[in-house]
Amino acid sequence: MTCPLCTLPAGELLYEDARLWVLLVDEAGYPGFCRVIWKQHVREMSDLAAADSSHLLDWVLRTEKAIRHVMQPDKINLASLGNVVPHLHWHVIPRFADDAHFPSPIWASPQRSGTDHGKAGLADGLRAALKNQPLA
């Protein structure tokens, strides 16, 4: 079976280095939903060397800050599930009190139809915000 995360996965590339990608993914009803994906096959955070885990978490936090800056959500959800693919990856999800699932996780049953919080130029805004994040 071909691993779906060994090559650049679907989504709009916001940042890439030798170790990870940051992608804006197309998740219906959830504009600004990003994934931070470790490029190598690693299942658990504790399998990474300290410098690598710091690098990965730094980019998860940078992504959260960029989303908060650009979208001003009510909350950010962070999730690292990866039960199917052997790549560490973090979901960084902006949440709004009027989204379809709030206050439940986006994978729960919807509570309402939800309000669209998409914005023109979202990917460019996130890229610029990521670029302007200070190094940890």
Side-chain angles (χ1 to χ4, degrees):
M1 178 173 101
T2 302
C3 178
L5 297 183
C6 273
T7 57
L8 184 62
E12 189 156 352
L13 185 64
L14 301 177
Y15 174 81
E16 176 180 15
D17 65 25
R19 297 182 276 183
L20 58 79
W21 293 293
V22 178
L23 299 171
L24 175 62
V25 298
D26 185 16
E27 184 72 32
Y30 291 92
F33 186 130
C34 292
R35 287 192 186 107
V36 181
I37 302 169
W38 194 253
K39 289 181 176 180
Q40 293 180 332
H41 280 211
V42 175
R43 287 191 181 273
E44 307 299 342
M45 288 292 296
S46 57
D47 292 337
L48 289 174
D52 287 337
S53 63
S54 291
H55 183 72
L56 176 56
L57 287 176
D58 179 52
W59 278 97
V60 169
L61 295 175
R62 286 172 184 238
T63 303
E64 175 182 315
K65 288 176 185 177
I67 292 169
R68 290 182 67 197
H69 175 76
V70 171
M71 300 187 76
Q72 293 88 45
D74 296 312
K75 180 73 175 99
I76 295 284
N77 287 174
L78 298 175
S80 180
L81 306 170
N83 295 330
V84 177
V85 293
H87 284 268
L88 285 170
H89 62 284
W90 285 83
H91 304 267
V92 186
I93 310 163
R95 300 299 307 278
F96 296 89
D98 59 357
D99 73 39
H101 295 87
F102 197 87
S104 299
I106 68 165
W107 298 288
S109 297
Q111 308 278 327
R112 65 194 69 73
S113 60
T115 301
D116 181 9
H117 290 275
K119 343 171 71 161
L122 180 58
D124 289 336
L126 291 171
R127 259 188 221 97
L130 283 169
K131 184 178 181 179
N132 292 323
Q133 290 294 320
L135 295 173

